[in-house]
């Protein structure tokens, strides 16, 4: 246990006192919590273009809302989103969007999901509850550095000058200083666009430090990272040794970097000399370096477990070692919907305090006014199609994810696990990838 890790755990524990009490109250009142979330979202959006068209100010109950607003997919919201991308305020959500999260649609055309401050705050509590459960079960995750793989926060700007890109990249870049200091890899390396150059750079940064928590949206990313480390072992060692010896030049032979990127990354690359010497000994002994030998410290692997993710999860141990894996939960650019609190399972508590959630039985074809079930009406063992409402401006949005209710606790709080996309065959890497990896 490191001193910094102990301080980080104390900070997390202190910050979780109020959210934990609030969550305890929410999970004991599922129906009331969801009704409060709906009314809060409608209140924020009552004066928007969409809110005035649908009479949000007049709605008082989930039944009022379901009678007034139809179930719809992305195409129904796209005209409104285009206006938001032009910089028009108060269209779907109050004010202007701070950014647009880009995710691939099932048709291949990118979707631009508005991100507002209220929407970001909606997701804080489930994420903090997830992190608290992880650190309680595995205190060692705070001992060393965090290796988190994200996409660039900004890929471009809309006609209205609003950035679009990866929401996880933005969160990574903007995290609080105590957490940001524990990043094994600086954001500048995550922002590299050329795929191989990015992976080489992030491996060079991470291998020079002890790592106790590794996070990637998809387990295929963790598998690829391990394979690349083995393939590039000698090159990575040479880069690290050059950087230790000369203080620069670690990326001098790396193709795919601009001159400005190379200079910036080499200024930030400060591997621990003793660690680099140990890596050289490992390479002499084994002829290869893999994550399990590069980072022998206890660590947790945090990644997607739903759908067909097991294809890659089963292939991680030879590369990474027998470490615990924790699902990130059912989350996407559109929101956070479950909170896993145990290892090696896709199951998670339904995140009733974040967004307003509705459910259609799996075998029903959605229609604009299909009769949905609410969170407190779900039954264990049954599968449902997820319909969401968030403060980002998606109202009764058909996420087209099929979830299974794995259990319902004595207070009526369901636990759910993602099973598959509605009407689609799941790819090996899992369709629930919200960013280009």
């Amino acid at each position: 246990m490191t001193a910094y890790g102990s301080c980080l755990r104390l900070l997390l524990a202190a910050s979780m006192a109020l959210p934990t009490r609030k969550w305890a109250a929410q999970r004991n009142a599922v129906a009331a919590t969801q009704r409060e979330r709906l009314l809060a979202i409608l209140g924020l959006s009552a004066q928007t273009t969409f809110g005035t068209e649908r009479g949000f100010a007049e709605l008082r109950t989930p039944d009022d809302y379901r009678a007034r607003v139809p179930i719809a997919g992305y195409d129904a919201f796209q005209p409104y989103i285009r206006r938001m991308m032009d910089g028009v305020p108060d269209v779907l959500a109050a004010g202007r969007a701070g950014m647009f999260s880009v995710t691939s649609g099932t048709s291949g055309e990118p979707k631009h999901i508005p991100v507002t401050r209220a929407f970001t705050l909606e997701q804080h509590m489930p994420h903090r509850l997830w992190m608290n459960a992880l650190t309680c079960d595995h205190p060692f995750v705070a001992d060393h550095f965090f290796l988190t793989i994200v996409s660039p926060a900004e890929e471009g700007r809309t006609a209205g000058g609003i950035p679009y890109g990866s929401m996880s990249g933005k969160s990574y870049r903007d995290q609080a200083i105590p957490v940001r200091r524990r990043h094994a890899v600086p954001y500048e390396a995550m922002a590299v666009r050329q795929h191989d150059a990015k992976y080489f750079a992030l491996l060079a940064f991470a291998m020079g430090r002890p790592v106790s928590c590794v996070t990637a949206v998809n387990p295929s990313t963790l598998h690829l990272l391990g394979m690349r480390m083995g393939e590039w072992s000698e090159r990575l060692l040479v880069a690290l040794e050059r950087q230790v010896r000369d203080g620069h030049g670690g990326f001098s032979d790396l193709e795919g970097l601009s001159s400005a990127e190379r200079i910036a990354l080499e200024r930030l690359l400060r591997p621990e000399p003793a660690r680099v010497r140990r890596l050289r000994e490992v390479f002499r002994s084994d002829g290869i370096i893999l994550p399990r030998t590069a980072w022998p410290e206890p660590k947790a692997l945090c990644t997607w477990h739903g759908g067909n993710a097991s294809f890659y999860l089963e292939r991680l141990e030879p590369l990474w070692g027998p470490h615990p894996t924790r699902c990130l939960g059912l989350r996407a650019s559109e929101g956070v919907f479950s909170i896993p609190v145990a290892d090696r399972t896709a199951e998670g508590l339904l995140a009733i305090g974040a967004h307003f959630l509705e459910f259609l039985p799996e075998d029903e074809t959605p229609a604009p006014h299909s009769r949905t079930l609410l969170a407190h009406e779900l039954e264990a063992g049954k599968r449902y199609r997820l319909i969401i409402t968030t403060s980002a401006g998606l109202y009764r949005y058909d996420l087209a994810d099929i979830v299974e209710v794995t259990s319902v606790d004595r207070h009526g709080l369901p636990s759910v696990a993602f099973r598959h996309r509605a009407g689609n065959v799941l790819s090996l890497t899992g369709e629930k990838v919200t960013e280009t990896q």
Side-chain angles (χ1 to χ4, degrees):
M1 182 180 296
T2 65
Y4 195 93
S6 297
C7 290
L8 200 58
R9 280 190 291 273
L10 287 173
L11 283 173
L12 179 62
S15 71
M16 284 304 299
L18 182 59
T20 299
R21 288 197 297 271
K22 184 176 181 180
W23 172 244
Q26 289 178 341
R27 65 183 301 174
N28 291 338
V30 176
T33 297
Q34 278 284 275
R35 181 177 181 274
E36 289 171 7
R37 285 305 309 140
L38 174 62
L39 294 182
I41 292 168
L42 297 182
L44 286 172
S45 306
Q47 303 306 313
T48 64
T49 300
F50 192 91
T52 55
E53 288 174 357
R54 298 294 177 179
F56 280 3
E58 304 166 7
L59 307 182
R60 297 290 180 269
T61 68
D63 284 343
D64 293 343
Y65 176 62
R66 289 185 286 185
R68 189 70 62 87
V69 179
I71 296 170
Y74 183 79
D75 289 348
F77 293 95
Q78 196 168 34
Y80 296 95
I81 290 173
R82 284 174 179 153
R83 292 184 63 200
M84 295 177 74
M85 293 175 70
D86 287 338
V88 179
D90 303 320
V91 180
L92 286 171
R96 283 165 47 106
M99 70 169 291
F100 292 89
S101 182
V102 180
T103 180
S104 59
T106 54
S107 66
E109 182 181 353
K111 298 179 182 178
H112 292 80
I113 306 300
V115 177
T116 63
R117 175 171 172 75
F119 177 61
T120 301
L121 292 175
E122 272 183 3
Q123 300 179 76
H124 277 183
M125 186 169 175
H127 179 72
R128 290 169 72 184
L129 290 167
W130 177 87
M131 190 67 192
N132 187 57
L134 178 67
T135 54
C136 285
D137 292 344
H138 307 295
F140 59 78
V141 299
D143 283 343
H144 301 295
F145 289 88
F146 307 146
L147 171 55
T148 304
I149 297 94
V150 298
S151 296
E154 185 172 329
E155 297 176 10
R157 297 248 167 180
T158 69
I162 303 172
Y164 60 85
S166 161
M167 189 173 176
S168 61
K170 183 180 185 301
S171 298
Y172 187 92
R173 185 190 63 190
D174 299 342
Q175 275 180 327
I177 291 175
V179 177
R180 203 160 63 236
R181 286 182 62 186
R182 302 307 279 175
H183 287 166
V185 181
Y187 173 75
E188 288 81 353
M190 297 296 175
V192 172
R193 299 301 178 92
Q194 207 279 337
H195 187 270
D196 282 351
K198 173 180 177 175
Y199 273 62
F200 189 95
L202 69 86
L203 282 170
F205 276 101
M207 288 172 66
R209 293 169 168 173
V211 168
S212 53
C213 187
V214 184
T215 303
V217 170
N218 202 296
S220 64
T221 301
L222 296 179
H223 185 265
L224 178 62
L225 199 68
M227 297 293 287
R228 288 288 184 266
M229 182 185 288
E231 179 184 344
W232 296 337
S233 295
E234 178 68 25
R235 289 178 58 205
L236 285 162
L237 265 176
V238 169
L240 291 171
E241 289 168 340
R242 184 183 296 150
Q243 196 73 19
V244 168
R245 184 184 66 245
D246 303 331
H248 60 83
F251 298 125
S252 60
D253 299 328
L254 182 58
E255 296 181 358
L257 292 181
S258 68
S259 177
E261 286 176 325
R262 182 174 288 105
I263 292 170
L265 291 176
E266 288 185 357
R267 284 175 179 168
L268 295 169
L269 183 60
R270 294 291 180 267
E272 298 176 8
R275 199 161 189 90
V276 176
R277 288 194 295 271
R278 191 193 71 80
L279 289 172
R280 174 56 72 180
E281 290 302 315
V282 169
F283 187 73
R284 287 196 186 105
S285 171
D286 300 346
I288 192 172
I289 301 173
L290 295 173
R292 58 184 168 80
T293 52
W295 302 300
E297 303 83 4
K299 55 186 168 291
L301 305 181
C302 305
T303 188
W304 173 246
H305 282 51
N308 284 358
S310 60
F311 179 86
Y312 281 105
L313 289 169
E314 294 167 355
R315 288 159 174 75
L316 293 182
E317 189 166 320
L319 297 170
W320 291 86
H323 300 289
T325 63
R326 180 66 60 97
C327 185
L328 295 173
L330 178 52
R331 59 177 69 191
S333 297
E334 294 89 347
V336 177
F337 312 107
S338 73
I339 309 166
V341 293
D343 292 337
R344 301 184 185 279
T345 177
E347 176 181 343
L349 302 171
L350 194 64
I352 56 172
H355 318 298
F356 180 68
L357 308 174
E358 302 173 61
F359 303 83
L360 273 175
E362 179 184 19
D363 56 0
E364 289 191 20
T365 302
H369 291 283
S370 294
R371 179 65 183 176
T372 57
L373 298 173
L374 303 183
H376 66 283
E377 299 173 317
L378 303 184
E379 297 180 44
K382 294 194 174 179
R383 294 187 177 191
Y384 302 92
R385 186 181 186 121
L386 186 55
I387 311 295
I388 67 171
T389 294
T390 77
S391 60
L394 299 179
Y395 306 103
R396 307 201 76 201
Y397 178 85
D398 180 10
L399 196 64
D401 281 350
I402 301 298
V403 300
E404 180 176 346
V405 177
T406 54
S407 64
V408 178
D409 73 11
R410 62 190 178 90
H411 301 292
L413 178 66
S415 290
V416 300
F418 172 84
R419 292 308 183 212
H420 61 86
R421 291 282 293 169
N424 286 281
V425 176
L426 207 62
S427 71
L428 289 177
T429 54
E431 214 288 325
K432 284 307 305 165
V433 181
T434 61
E435 306 167 325
T436 302
Q437 293 291 313

